[in-house]
Amino acid sequence: MKKDKMRLKGQLGMYMKWPLIMTLLLFAMNIWMYMIDKKAGVMMTVFIAIYLIIASSLYFHNRSLILADLIQFSVQYKGIENRLLKELALPYAIALEDGRILWKNDCFKELMEGQKKEKYLNRLIPDLHPGVFPKDDMEHVEMEVTYRERDYQVELRRVSLQGFSKKEELLQIPEEQEYFVAVSMRDVTELNSYIRENEEQRMIAGLIYIDNYDEVMESVEEVRQSLLVALIDRKINKYIGEVDGIVKKLEKDKYFVVLRKSGYKKIKEDKFSLLEEVKQVNIGNARSATLSIGLGLNTATYALSYQYARVAIDLALARGGDQAVIKDCNGITYFGGKKEQTAKNTRVKARVKAEALREFIVTKDQVIVMGHKIADPDSFGACMGIYRAVVSLEKKAHIVINEVTGSVRPLYDEIAESPAYEDDIFLTSDQALDYVNDNTMIIVVDTNKPQMTECPELLRRSRMIAVLDHHRQGSMIIDNAVLSYIEPYSSSACEMVAEVLQYIVDDIKIPSVEADCLYAGIMIDTRNFMNRTGVRTFEAAAFLRRCGADITRVRKMFRDDMESYRAKAEAMRRAEVYREEYAIAQCPGDIESPTVLAAQTANELLDISGIKASFVLTVYEGKIYMSARSIDEVNVQIIAEKLGGGGHINSAGAQFDHTNIEEAVNALKETIDKMIEEGDI
């Protein structure tokens, strides 16, 4: 390039031109001087000419010297820059798109000591393969890798070299690959160690409750009660003390615990063996004590950890006790809960909840009741029971039901056709949304999961929601309910509603058809009073019988037609016995109410000797529904929860969002295998 074509640019070029720019200002002043005095103007013109000659000479003479100095500085600066990069304290390398290393600095060479001849990055560090490289110039990838037992934070940046091959004489790169990948590594081993140590020292708040304190104390002689309490206290203090935790007894049956996260990991590894150890305490007590444990993890403050522990212990109690519930920012984890909690004979809680429900109902103009999707007799009967309670309080009531299944159709048709009921007693979801307003209360029965209700949108539109359910709670619950009555040891939602009806209105009059609905719900959920029945179950049935429930008529309603009976028999014939203890069957979906038939088939399979649990799957409306049943040896609820469902210890279900039965069966088998290996079932 010729010197006369070289120019200075930017701030330096402007700085060099300032003398010439100042000359223009002097010429303006010279004109003004001529207007005042011509002699002074001439003198100034002479001085301006001299100034212009000197400035021009200096500009053109020094310009070449400045350019030479700039070139010299650029060369020296480039060398310093290269040296700094080469001697950079961080490992740094440049690789091609296939991972081949083109250049590496001294620190990177030291890091790869013993493997200096290796040319490919992924052979040195397998995690740094071409698949993780940035896809464009705007993207950069950060990842953590382990190399030679050290942790490194790696940053990958794509450096574009567009037009490189046209200028470069020594190296030819295809146009679509004209880029390098810059790799920088930062040793974060010590930082990670400090983070882990800090995390291990994080304090965790927890609560431990004795579920059945009063029942256990009543089952032992009075002189031994203090000894029994002392033994339970010792078990709890020893267990928490072994992981360097602290226990503080709050009440006779409640304990507050504090432990480090490292201690929590230890008790998590043994799956909270304290739950079983306390059950083994026996000094003549007829009943074993059971515990509920709630812990709050991974929180920003200790106050929030305690709040999480409160939520966890409430959930453990709502699920029936005898389990540990761990709540953190990411969700909820369950341990234990393998056995059914003993039902309480007292109905004090039912009376208290009934009185609270009455107070809420009387403050509203109308009530909308709904159960779960694909209503069964228990859900439908509970809705009818709540309907009667609302009407008895002289309030308007509606029931949301989108699809009438074969199991509830006889009762539904009888009510819908009866002149004793209004035309809008039954609503679809779309109709119910038009009815809801600020003076509407929503009551949900037989489910506590918002996504399982007939119309989840109603829950978002109402500020007053009540829930009555007999299923154990999971992580997804209706969290904005003003009243939540969850009794996991109740046989059915109809049993709970039958108890509430006895307290919500004095001398309530229940029509025989509604008594039939409630009685049918109890009968179906208990398999004709053979499963999950207690004293209160028979008391509720006796109350309904006094109200006019016709047992013979209810039994006739639930007889199978020949097609359904054959389908059930075929499903049982083809049932597979997995691991010699678990029956898995497929029920045809081309019949009316296949989900009800699947539940009936699962119940029938339990009558086979040696079967501990049964699982029946069927396709219905583009989804696979699974019914799981057991008698007392296997907790099918925790199996269903692993598959996204829930329910009771011996009666549960789940849904799969596809219609591939083979995939669903494989997922079920994998879950059973994993839980057996981990000792959960």
Side-chain angles (χ1 to χ4, degrees):
M1 183 180 294
K2 296 181 179 179
K3 290 186 177 181
D4 57 354
K5 292 185 178 180
M6 296 178 65
R7 295 183 301 167
L8 295 173
K9 299 190 298 182
Q11 296 294 330
L12 182 60
M14 181 63 67
Y15 177 77
M16 293 294 293
K17 294 176 181 178
W18 265 112
L20 300 178
I21 295 173
M22 288 297 297
T23 304
L24 298 176
L25 181 61
L26 292 175
F27 274 121
M29 292 178 62
N30 194 19
I31 295 172
W32 181 68
M33 290 291 292
Y34 272 111
M35 295 173 64
I36 298 175
D37 187 345
K38 291 184 178 180
K39 187 175 181 181
V42 172
M43 290 296 295
M44 188 170 182
T45 300
V46 174
F47 282 110
I48 290 174
I50 296 172
Y51 169 78
L52 184 61
I53 294 171
I54 295 173
S56 300
S57 300
L58 290 174
Y59 175 78
F60 289 107
H61 179 266
N62 292 336
R63 180 168 169 271
S64 59
L65 298 177
I66 291 174
L67 288 172
D69 290 342
L70 287 175
I71 292 172
Q72 182 65 27
F73 173 77
S74 177
V75 173
Q76 293 177 353
Y77 177 79
K78 196 66 177 178
I80 294 172
E81 188 180 49
N82 291 337
R83 183 175 178 181
L84 289 174
L85 185 60
K86 192 172 186 299
E87 298 178 358
L88 186 66
L90 292 176
Y92 192 90
I94 296 176
L96 290 175
E97 54 89 23
D98 60 355
R100 182 169 182 172
I101 302 174
L102 290 180
W103 177 88
K104 48 185 176 287
N105 68 355
D106 295 343
C107 194
F108 198 95
K109 292 177 181 178
E110 293 177 6
L111 184 67
M112 304 303 169
E113 185 178 358
Q115 302 185 57
K116 293 182 179 180
K117 294 183 178 180
E118 183 55 64
K119 298 297 183 181
Y120 287 91
L121 192 61
N122 62 318
R123 294 179 182 173
L124 295 169
I125 306 174
D127 290 337
L128 299 182
H129 54 83
V132 302
F133 288 176
K135 305 304 179 186
D136 54 58
D137 295 344
M138 300 300 294
E139 180 186 2
H140 72 280
V141 177
E142 292 185 359
M143 57 187 299
E144 192 167 303
V145 301
T146 301
Y147 179 70
R148 291 184 175 177
E149 299 182 355
R150 304 286 293 181
D151 298 331
Y152 293 92
Q153 184 72 28
V154 179
E155 183 176 0
L156 304 172
R157 289 185 178 274
R158 178 166 162 161
V159 181
S160 177
L161 298 171
Q162 190 173 3
F164 176 85
S165 298
K166 295 179 181 179
K167 302 175 183 178
E168 179 58 46
E169 297 179 357
L170 300 177
L171 184 63
Q172 177 69 31
I173 301 177
E175 291 186 6
E176 66 275 7
Q177 299 176 2
E178 284 192 342
Y179 65 87
F180 293 147
V181 177
V183 183
S184 60
M185 302 174 64
R186 181 165 58 93
D187 193 333
V188 292
T189 306
E190 292 185 4
L191 177 62
N192 287 348
S193 175
Y194 294 142
I195 292 174
R196 283 193 295 268
E197 185 176 348
N198 180 65
E199 190 68 18
E200 295 293 320
Q201 298 298 319
R202 187 183 292 274
M203 303 302 291
I204 296 172
L207 293 166
I208 300 177
Y209 288 3
I210 302 177
D211 300 322
N212 53 347
Y213 180 86
D214 293 333
E215 290 82 355
V216 173
M217 291 300 109
E218 290 175 359
S219 69
V220 69
E221 297 177 7
E222 187 173 351
V223 294
R224 295 189 176 186
Q225 289 180 359
S226 58
L227 176 59
L228 179 61
V229 172
L231 290 173
I232 294 174
D233 287 349
R234 184 185 177 193
K235 286 281 187 183
I236 295 174
N237 280 278
K238 181 181 178 183
Y239 187 80
I240 301 299
E242 287 177 350
V243 294
D244 199 21
I246 300 173
V247 180
K248 174 67 176 177
K249 191 168 186 177
L250 302 177
E251 299 178 27
K252 61 182 180 179
D253 58 347
K254 295 179 175 64
Y255 305 83
F256 175 70
V257 300
V258 178
L259 63 157
R260 295 190 181 95
K261 192 170 183 180
S262 56
Y264 160 72
K265 290 182 176 180
K266 293 179 182 178
I267 60 178
K268 180 182 177 182
E269 288 176 0
D270 71 2
K271 297 184 182 296
F272 290 83
S273 60
L274 177 64
L275 297 171
E276 298 300 323
E277 290 178 11
V278 170
K279 290 180 188 177
Q280 297 171 6
V281 176
N282 192 310
I283 57 171
N285 45 299
R287 292 186 178 181
S288 298
T290 61
L291 299 181
S292 289
I293 303 174
L295 298 178
L297 267 69
N298 296 340
T299 54
T301 64
Y302 297 133
L304 189 55
S305 176
Y306 178 69
Q307 292 298 324
Y308 276 14
R310 290 288 300 272
V311 172
I313 196 69
D314 289 343
L315 185 53
L317 294 172
R319 288 166 56 86
D322 187 26
Q323 59 193 282
V325 177
I326 317 302
K327 176 173 174 54
D328 59 18
C329 303
N330 301 317
I332 297 174
T333 309
Y334 306 100
F335 294 89
K338 299 180 182 179
K339 299 295 182 182
E340 183 68 90
Q341 185 186 23
T342 305
K344 297 182 180 179
N345 292 332
T346 176
R347 292 196 290 179
V348 174
K349 187 175 182 180
R351 176 180 57 79
V352 172
K353 295 293 185 180
E355 292 174 353
L357 183 61
R358 180 178 63 241
E359 293 177 3
F360 286 126
I361 291 174
V362 297
T363 61
K364 296 297 181 181
D365 293 338
Q366 66 174 347
V367 174
I368 296 178
V369 190
M370 63 177 172
H372 54 73
K373 297 175 181 177
I374 314 177
D376 59 10
D378 188 32
S379 175
F380 183 77
C383 287
M384 290 305 305
I386 296 297
Y387 168 85
R388 178 50 49 191
V390 175
V391 172
S392 299
L393 292 171
E394 300 180 351
K395 299 293 181 179
K396 185 75 172 175
H398 307 280
I399 297 174
V400 181
I401 181 166
N402 293 314
E403 181 180 352
V404 183
T405 60
S407 60
V408 302
R409 183 168 295 282
L411 295 167
Y412 176 90
D413 290 342
E414 185 173 351
I415 294 171
E417 295 171 2
S418 173
Y421 298 95
E422 298 179 357
D423 294 337
D424 60 353
I425 179 175
F426 296 119
L427 304 174
T428 63
S429 294
D430 294 337
Q431 292 171 336
L433 293 174
D434 295 332
Y435 275 74
V436 69
N437 55 47
D438 292 338
N439 279 319
T440 301
M441 180 179 183
I442 307 297
I443 300 180
V444 178
V445 296
D446 204 28
T447 184
N448 55 62
K449 295 183 177 182
Q451 71 274 18
M452 290 295 294
T453 58
E454 288 279 17
C455 183
E457 181 63 25
L458 283 176
L459 303 177
R460 292 186 283 269
R461 294 198 181 186
S462 178
R463 297 180 180 178
M464 186 172 288
I465 301 170
V467 180
L468 288 84
D469 187 27
H470 67 121
H471 297 99
R472 299 172 108 187
Q473 287 185 335
S475 55
M476 296 295 294
I477 61 173
I478 301 172
D479 54 6
N480 57 336
V482 296
L483 175 66
S484 182
Y485 183 20
I486 311 293
E487 291 288 11
Y489 49 77
S490 290
S491 68
S492 58
C494 286
E495 177 190 323
M496 296 173 60
V497 173
E499 290 181 346
V500 168
L501 286 173
Q502 298 176 59
Y503 297 107
I504 200 166
V505 177
D506 294 335
D507 299 324
I508 189 170
K509 303 297 181 183
I510 303 177
S512 59
V513 63
E514 295 176 15
D516 286 348
C517 293
L518 288 161
Y519 188 89
I522 297 176
M523 190 182 77
I524 292 299
D525 270 30
T526 60
R527 292 186 62 201
N528 297 324
F529 298 94
M530 291 193 302
N531 187 28
R532 294 178 52 79
T533 52
V535 174
R536 291 168 63 176
T537 308
F538 290 104
E539 289 177 350
F543 165 72
L544 296 172
R545 185 71 182 88
R546 290 192 299 270
C547 292
D550 190 332
I551 300 174
T552 304
R553 182 171 59 174
V554 171
R555 181 182 176 186
K556 287 182 178 180
M557 286 181 184
F558 295 106
R559 289 187 297 179
D560 294 327
D561 56 32
M562 185 57 70
E563 183 182 355
S564 298
Y565 195 86
R566 285 173 176 166
K568 182 166 58 176
E570 181 65 16
M572 294 183 64
R573 187 180 72 84
R574 297 191 176 188
E576 172 191 0
V577 179
Y578 184 64
R579 296 183 75 118
E580 300 181 354
E581 296 176 340
Y582 304 94
I584 301 175
Q586 301 176 22
C587 193
D590 56 352
I591 59 174
E592 186 178 8
S593 303
T595 55
V596 175
L597 190 66
Q600 294 174 352
T601 305
N603 286 326
E604 294 287 343
L605 287 169
L606 290 179
D607 293 334
I608 301 174
S609 177
I611 298 299
K612 293 184 177 180
S614 61
F615 305 88
V616 181
L617 297 87
T618 185
V619 178
Y620 182 62
E621 292 187 346
K623 294 182 180 179
I624 294 176
Y625 290 82
M626 183 190 76
S627 291
R629 299 290 187 270
S630 68
I631 297 178
D632 62 349
E633 296 175 289
V634 175
N635 183 348
V636 293
Q637 183 225 356
I638 59 176
I639 298 176
E641 283 184 338
K642 296 287 186 181
L643 297 169
H648 288 295
I649 282 180
N650 48 22
S651 177
Q655 295 179 16
F656 299 87
D657 293 328
H658 56 77
T659 56
N660 191 321
I661 287 283
E662 187 176 340
E663 286 184 11
V665 170
N666 290 336
L668 172 62
K669 290 180 177 179
E670 290 174 3
T671 302
I672 293 174
D673 292 340
K674 183 177 180 181
M675 296 184 72
I676 290 175
E677 291 174 5
E678 295 177 354
D680 291 334
I681 57 175

